[in-house]
Amino acid sequence: MELLTTWTSTALPLTISITCLWLYSLLIKNSSIIDLYWGCGFAIVYWYTYLSSTTTSSPKSILLGLMITMWALRLTTYLYIRMRGKGEDPRYIKFRNSNPANYWWRSLITVFMLQATLIWILSAPLVVTQLFPGPITLTIVIGVLVWLSGFIIETTADIQLYLFKNKPSNQGKILMRGLWSLSRHPNYFGDVVQWWGFWLVALKPEMWWSIYSPVLMSIIIIKFSGIPVLEKSLATTKASYQQYAKNVPVFLPNFKSLTRKNK
């Protein structure tokens, strides 16, 4: 019962913060700011639970909170830099133009509250693990190492892509160097790896059910809102993408290609 109470309590800060963000999006006529909230939402519900919980703080709780916060801050900062000065994302413009008169409430339900609901569902194992304080175990150490590897991969991939796109000579071209020569979406791969790291750190025998969180996150990225959307867009806007797709795997990096290049 305590698990359910702790989890459901996080709906309050999520609802309040996402509603404020939605009202601000109406004011500036830009729904793209919801993308900046994705990482922050997880940090908000985690630290809300930490500060409101009566359970004794533990090294594991603080460690997991710091990991989530680092992931959220890095992602939000990168997205802000990438989005700055570019106006509303074409996805939201298309959605807005499909029914402009009703967009104000449709955006609340299908854009903002949908994302808040996903955060609420996915964050359950991260917040309720605080009810099981304990020492740093081997599983937690492994989880940190898994998370750190994903963090480094995603950060490196994002930096490589940002630098590539900001060279005028690369306009219309596909990045095929660095991590992007091993996977078409190394940033998404790194993000998924981090979620499995979160799960390992949060894992307790009482929480065997929590595996749904990294599994669901992996499915969302690989099968729905992440890779498929981007693949469809790149295939129609980049002339060389089809050839690139034939040589580089979509998600799991082909590390074997490194050995072939070094021969």
Side-chain angles (χ1 to χ4, degrees):
M1 187 65 180
E2 188 178 9
L3 293 179
L4 184 60
T5 301
T6 299
W7 178 40
T8 54
S9 69
T10 61
L12 177 62
L14 269 176
T15 302
I16 293 175
S17 57
I18 205 76
T19 300
C20 290
L21 191 68
W22 168 69
L23 290 172
Y24 181 62
S25 77
L26 296 180
L27 181 66
I28 64 174
K29 294 181 173 59
N30 190 339
S31 294
S32 297
I33 57 175
I34 186 61
D35 294 340
L36 301 176
Y37 182 83
W38 178 249
C40 296
F42 289 98
I44 288 172
V45 296
Y46 186 88
W47 289 113
Y48 171 84
T49 307
Y50 179 85
L51 295 173
S52 61
S53 175
T54 57
T55 306
T56 304
S57 177
S58 69
K60 184 189 77 170
S61 297
I62 297 174
L63 177 62
L64 183 58
L66 291 175
M67 290 164 57
I68 294 169
T69 303
M70 284 182 63
W71 168 76
L73 288 176
R74 190 216 69 84
L75 178 61
T76 302
T77 301
Y78 172 71
L79 290 175
Y80 173 76
I81 293 173
R82 194 179 70 179
M83 293 163 54
R84 185 175 49 187
K86 294 184 178 179
E88 190 171 37
D89 188 285
R91 294 172 298 164
Y92 301 117
I93 293 177
K94 182 179 179 181
F95 183 40
R96 181 189 298 276
N97 292 338
S98 66
N99 195 338
N102 296 318
Y103 182 77
W104 66 275
W105 65 264
R106 290 178 68 204
S107 65
L108 172 64
I109 298 171
T110 61
V111 176
F112 288 81
M113 284 304 173
L114 174 61
Q115 188 160 134
T117 302
L118 283 174
I119 292 172
W120 186 61
I121 293 171
L122 290 165
S123 66
L126 305 180
V127 298
V128 302
T129 190
Q130 299 181 54
L131 300 177
F132 305 101
I136 302 298
T137 63
L138 179 60
T139 302
I140 292 176
V141 172
I142 293 173
V144 172
L145 293 175
V146 170
W147 171 81
L148 185 59
S149 65
F151 185 86
I152 292 173
I153 290 172
E154 185 176 27
T155 302
T156 303
D158 282 342
I159 291 174
Q160 290 176 345
L161 185 61
Y162 178 79
L163 293 175
F164 179 83
K165 284 187 172 182
N166 277 271
K167 283 188 177 182
S169 59
N170 291 327
Q171 194 73 25
K173 296 181 181 179
I174 299 291
L175 175 56
M176 302 181 187
R177 298 188 300 272
L179 292 176
W180 299 84
S181 67
L182 309 178
S183 166
R184 302 206 297 273
H185 303 281
N187 51 345
Y188 283 134
F189 174 77
D191 197 57
V192 167
V193 169
Q194 286 179 85
W195 271 89
W196 284 97
F198 289 149
W199 176 70
L200 286 171
V201 173
L203 184 61
K204 294 287 287 185
E206 301 90 337
M207 295 176 56
W208 57 268
W209 50 270
S210 64
I211 195 172
Y212 85 84
S213 182
V215 169
L216 180 57
M217 179 62 85
S218 301
I219 292 173
I220 289 173
I221 289 177
I222 298 172
K223 296 295 184 181
F224 292 100
S225 67
I227 291 176
V229 174
L230 194 53
E231 283 280 301
K232 183 178 179 180
S233 173
L234 290 171
T236 55
T237 58
K238 305 291 183 180
S240 59
Y241 196 76
Q242 293 295 344
Q243 185 61 38
Y244 174 58
K246 291 179 181 178
N247 299 320
V248 179
V250 64
F251 180 69
L252 293 175
N254 181 17
F255 292 110
K256 291 181 179 180
S257 62
L258 287 176
T259 57
R260 289 197 297 267
K261 291 176 183 178
N262 292 330
K263 288 182 180 179

